[in-house]
Amino acid sequence: MVARQSQLFVPTLREAPADAEAASHRLLVRGGYIRQVSAGLWTFLPLGWRVHQKVVQVIREEMNAIGGQEMLCPVLTPAELWETTGRITVPIIFHLKDRTGRDFVLPFSHEETMTFHAREIRSYKELPQTWYHFSTKERDEPRPRGGLLRVREFIMKDSYTFDRDEAGLDVSFDRHAEAYERIWERCGLEAYLVEAESGIMGGTESLGFLAPGSGENELMRCENGDYFADVEAARGVPRAPELPPRLDAPEEIETPGVTTIEALAELLAIDPAATSKAMPVVVGDRLVLALVRGDDRLSEEKLMTLFESAFRPATDEEIRETFGADGGSIGPLGVSVEVVADEALREGQFVAGANRDGWHVRGVEAGRDYEPRFADIRQAVAGDACPECGGRLSVQPAIEVGHIFKLGTFHSQAFDATYLDEDGTEKVIVMGSYGIGPARTMAAIVEQHSDENGILWPKEVAPYDVHVLSLDAGSEEILGCAEEVANVLVEAGLDVLLDDRDERPGEKFADADLVGAPVRIIVGRKTLEDDSVDARTRDGAVDQRVAVTDVLKWVTDR
C-alpha cells in the first residue's frame, strides 16, 4: 500500500533544537523521526520507528544465522538477582519498591535474569546455547545528551551464550564478532572492532565496535592503521619521564600549601611525569589506593574491570582516617591498604605524598619502598605511542554501537549455574554477553550518511525505498500520474512514500531531503507532456529523465 504523506505524522522542522550539537540529533529531530519527552527520553515517531525496526530486523536475521534463539525477559526485575552478583550498587540502576515494600530494579542489561534461567541447563548435551532478546533498558544517566546517543531509556539487543568451557566461549565470541561485522556492513556503517573495558558488566575481556561520528566515545587509532581501541581501554605507551637523580632511600621534603601535581612540579622544578598521583577509592567495604603518574589520569573503566566491581572515591574523612593527611599529601609509603600502581610507575623513582600535610617524599621506588599490584590503569592520550608498532596514536569522536564481553563464570558462579559434564563432574557454565543498540546504530548511520540538507539513508534501513513527489497535488491529472507510478513500485514489493500534499515544490524538496529516502521520483507538469519523470538518487550522484514505463527498472537497478 502506498503511504500518503498527507496522512502521515511527519512533523519536519526548518530549525534544529538549540541544544543539538551532533548531526544525528539535529537531523532526526528536523526530519520528524524522533521527539523528546524529557531529558534522555525520546519517542520514535512513525518514520523513526520504521528505521528502528529495519535495523532490528537486520540484527535479528544475523543473530538467527548464528543459532540465536529469540525470547523476552521482563524489564521489572527482583533486586535479589542483582544482589546475587553484587552489581546492585552500580549507580546507574533505577531502584523501586512495589506496594508490599519488595525491592526491584529497572536493569540496563539482563545478565542476571538470563543466568537465572540458565540454572535449568542440566547437561553438557544442552550446550552450547545462544539466547537473545530486544528489550527496553533503563539507565539513570546523570547527563543525558546528544539525542539518541546518551539516553535514560532505550531498546537493546542483548544476547547471551552458555558454553562448557573457555574454548567454547571463544567460538561463541568469534561468531558474534563476525555477525556484528555483517550487521554494520548491511547497515552501511563504518565501524571498527576495538579493545574495550568490561567495566560494570563483569568478566575480564571485551571488545567494542566504534563508529566514527559525533558520539560520547573516543576512538584511538594508530597512524599506521594497525591498532584501534576505545580510549578508555587503549594501551597507549606514554613518553619517557625526565627523572631526577636516583636516591639510595626516600627523602622527605617540605611542600607547604602544595596539593596539586602542577604546584608540586613547579616547586621542585621537575617534570610532572616524575611524580605519582594518589587516588584512594572504596571497593565494596575496603579502601584501595590507586597510583598513576603525575601527568596521567586514572581510567575508571580500567580500574572497574580490574576490580570486577564498581567503586567510589574515598571521602575526605576516610582519607584522613586511613592516611593521616588530606588528599593532596598522601602516598604509598607505610600504608596498610592495597596499592594498585600503573605500569608506568614500575621503573624509576618518583615524588609521592608523605602522608603528612605539607610534605612529600623524593626517590620513591616501587618494589623497594612499597609493594604494589601493577596494572594498566592510566587513561591513554593522543600522542602516546602505539603498543603494536610505536606509531603515533590519535583520537577522534565515535559512537559505541556494539560491545561483546567474555563474562566467563562471573555471573554463573554467583548463581550456581552448573551442568553435568560427560565425565560425571559438575562444572560451572561459561558465559558471554553481547549488546547492540538499534537507536545508537540509527544515530551512527545518520552521522556518516548525511549532508547539510538532511539524511541519506542506506537502502537496507531507509524508512521508504522510494519517495514519489507530485509537484502539483492540486492537479488531479498530475497526482493521478504520481499515484500510478507509486502503485507500480509498491506492487513490485517496494516501500513507497507519496508526497501528495498541496504544498509548494520548494517545501516538498526540502522535506524530501530531510526524510532521506535513497531514491526520489518527481512527477510534474512536464510529465504530462513527455510521459517521463525526474529520477534522482538522494546523494545527487544520479539525476535523469526517465520514461514512466521505465521507472521500475530504473529504481531496481540502483
Side-chain angles (χ1 to χ4, degrees):
M1 182 177 177
V2 175
R4 292 178 172 271
Q5 201 161 340
S6 62
Q7 299 171 7
L8 295 182
F9 182 49
V10 187
T12 57
L13 301 175
R14 291 295 160 254
E15 300 294 331
D19 63 339
E21 298 178 358
S24 56
H25 186 179
R26 294 195 304 271
L27 296 177
L28 287 170
V29 171
R30 288 188 59 207
Y33 283 87
I34 59 174
R35 282 296 182 270
Q36 187 170 2
V37 177
S38 182
L41 300 176
W42 292 85
T43 293
F44 286 82
L45 303 183
L47 282 186
W49 191 241
R50 285 182 69 89
V51 175
H52 186 280
Q53 292 306 89
K54 287 196 172 186
V55 173
V56 163
Q57 187 58 27
V58 170
I59 297 170
R60 175 178 286 117
E61 290 171 5
E62 295 301 336
M63 288 307 305
N64 291 344
I66 61 171
Q69 304 169 70
E70 186 169 3
M71 54 197 290
L72 181 63
C73 297
V75 178
L76 187 64
T77 305
E80 55 259 33
L81 295 188
W82 285 70
E83 290 167 351
T84 300
T85 58
R87 298 206 300 166
I88 191 69
T89 59
V90 174
I92 60 172
I93 297 177
F94 278 102
H95 297 260
L96 67 159
K97 293 180 182 289
D98 68 7
R99 66 181 66 192
T100 69
R102 186 184 178 191
D103 291 318
F104 288 84
V105 300
L106 302 178
F108 57 85
S109 193
H110 274 79
E111 282 77 11
E112 279 75 6
T113 305
M114 289 288 191
T115 312
F116 170 81
H117 292 304
R119 295 185 303 177
E120 294 192 57
I121 295 172
R122 300 302 181 200
S123 169
Y124 72 95
K125 295 179 181 179
E126 301 173 62
L127 298 172
Q129 291 281 328
T130 300
W131 304 341
Y132 77 97
H133 67 164
F134 293 92
S135 174
T136 298
K137 314 294 181 186
E138 307 289 346
R139 179 185 177 100
D140 193 3
E141 172 59 59
R143 295 177 300 278
R145 66 176 182 84
L148 300 180
L149 296 179
R150 183 183 285 181
V151 295
R152 307 189 88 189
E153 180 176 284
F154 55 98
I155 292 174
M156 183 169 73
K157 186 288 298 178
D158 42 320
S159 53
Y160 303 87
T161 57
F162 307 90
D163 285 282
R164 295 172 63 177
D165 49 31
E166 294 291 340
L169 173 59
D170 289 344
V171 173
S172 297
F173 193 80
D174 290 345
R175 283 179 178 167
H176 271 81
E178 292 165 3
Y180 278 28
E181 295 283 5
R182 291 191 293 271
I183 290 167
W184 313 139
E185 183 177 355
R186 290 179 61 181
C187 290
L189 192 60
E190 176 192 359
Y192 294 92
L193 179 64
V194 301
E195 291 183 358
E197 290 296 332
S198 297
I200 57 177
M201 298 299 289
T204 57
E205 183 179 348
S206 72
L207 297 174
F209 290 87
L210 294 187
S214 300
E216 76 232 29
N217 291 80
E218 291 182 301
L219 171 63
M220 180 161 274
R221 57 196 304 173
C222 176
E223 61 185 347
N224 298 322
D226 59 353
Y227 182 73
F228 299 90
D230 187 319
V231 74
E232 292 288 349
R235 296 176 288 115
V237 180
R239 67 176 178 85
E242 298 176 13
L243 297 174
R246 191 175 186 281
L247 300 177
D248 292 333
E251 179 182 291
E252 285 194 346
I253 181 170
E254 191 171 6
T255 53
V258 172
T259 58
T260 67
I261 293 297
E262 293 74 16
L264 179 64
E266 183 178 357
L267 177 68
L268 302 181
I270 60 172
D271 182 357
T275 69
S276 65
K277 186 187 300 181
M279 314 285 287
V281 298
V282 177
V283 187
D285 58 359
R286 63 192 175 101
L287 191 147
V288 178
L289 184 64
L291 289 180
V292 294
R293 217 168 69 175
D295 61 333
D296 281 329
R297 289 176 55 195
L298 175 70
S299 169
E300 295 185 2
E301 290 291 326
K302 288 182 179 180
L303 200 59
M304 201 177 300
T305 298
L306 183 69
F307 294 148
E308 294 191 54
S309 172
F311 64 87
R312 63 171 175 81
T315 64
D316 292 342
E317 182 179 347
E318 289 169 328
I319 293 171
R320 177 155 286 282
E321 181 180 340
T322 303
F323 299 96
D326 292 333
S329 299
I330 66 174
L333 298 186
V335 298
S336 58
V337 300
E338 178 186 0
V339 178
V340 178
D342 183 69
E343 292 287 352
L345 297 173
R346 186 183 287 272
E347 302 292 337
Q349 294 185 344
F350 298 83
V351 177
N355 297 319
R356 188 156 57 118
D357 288 337
W359 290 80
H360 282 76
V361 184
R362 297 178 184 266
V364 177
E365 184 176 323
R368 185 192 70 180
D369 305 318
Y370 68 102
E371 293 293 340
R373 173 186 179 186
F374 284 107
D376 176 13
I377 58 172
R378 70 179 287 270
Q379 180 85 58
V381 296
D384 282 352
C386 172
E388 301 296 332
C389 70
R392 183 180 176 84
L393 296 178
S394 62
V395 176
Q396 68 182 107
I399 301 167
E400 184 184 76
V401 288
H403 206 139
I404 57 179
F405 303 85
K406 288 186 177 181
L407 299 179
T409 60
F410 179 84
H411 292 80
S412 52
Q413 188 89 51
F415 276 90
D416 196 26
T418 62
Y419 69 96
L420 198 64
D421 207 357
E422 58 188 333
D423 62 3
T425 60
E426 189 175 63
K427 295 182 179 178
V428 179
I429 295 172
V430 180
M431 291 178 56
S433 173
Y434 317 85
I436 285 183
R440 276 197 176 187
T441 300
M442 276 181 63
I445 292 169
V446 175
E447 291 289 329
Q448 295 182 7
H449 296 272
S450 59
D451 59 22
E452 65 275 11
N453 297 317
I455 305 170
L456 292 76
W457 290 112
K459 183 177 180 180
E460 186 113 27
V461 297
Y464 293 95
D465 301 311
V466 186
H467 200 164
V468 177
L469 277 61
S470 175
L471 289 194
D472 189 348
S475 165
E476 292 187 8
E477 202 171 359
I478 293 174
L479 180 57
C481 184
E483 290 172 337
E484 288 179 14
V485 170
N487 284 325
V488 168
L489 296 172
V490 167
E491 288 170 6
L494 297 170
D495 290 330
V496 179
L497 176 62
L498 171 63
D499 190 345
D500 60 337
R501 300 173 300 162
D502 188 13
E503 300 286 356
R504 295 178 293 105
E507 186 83 6
K508 295 193 174 193
F509 286 132
D511 282 351
D513 283 342
L514 287 170
V515 170
V519 173
R520 187 179 308 170
I521 303 298
I522 302 162
V523 180
R525 291 196 175 278
K526 193 176 179 184
T527 302
L528 303 180
E529 301 172 5
D530 62 3
D531 205 27
S532 297
V533 299
D534 288 322
R536 301 174 184 170
T537 55
R538 171 62 182 85
D539 61 7
V542 181
D543 187 352
Q544 296 176 235
R545 193 73 180 164
V546 177
V548 169
T549 54
D550 294 334
V551 168
L552 177 58
K553 182 179 185 307
W554 186 90
V555 170
T556 55
D557 284 347
R558 296 307 100 197

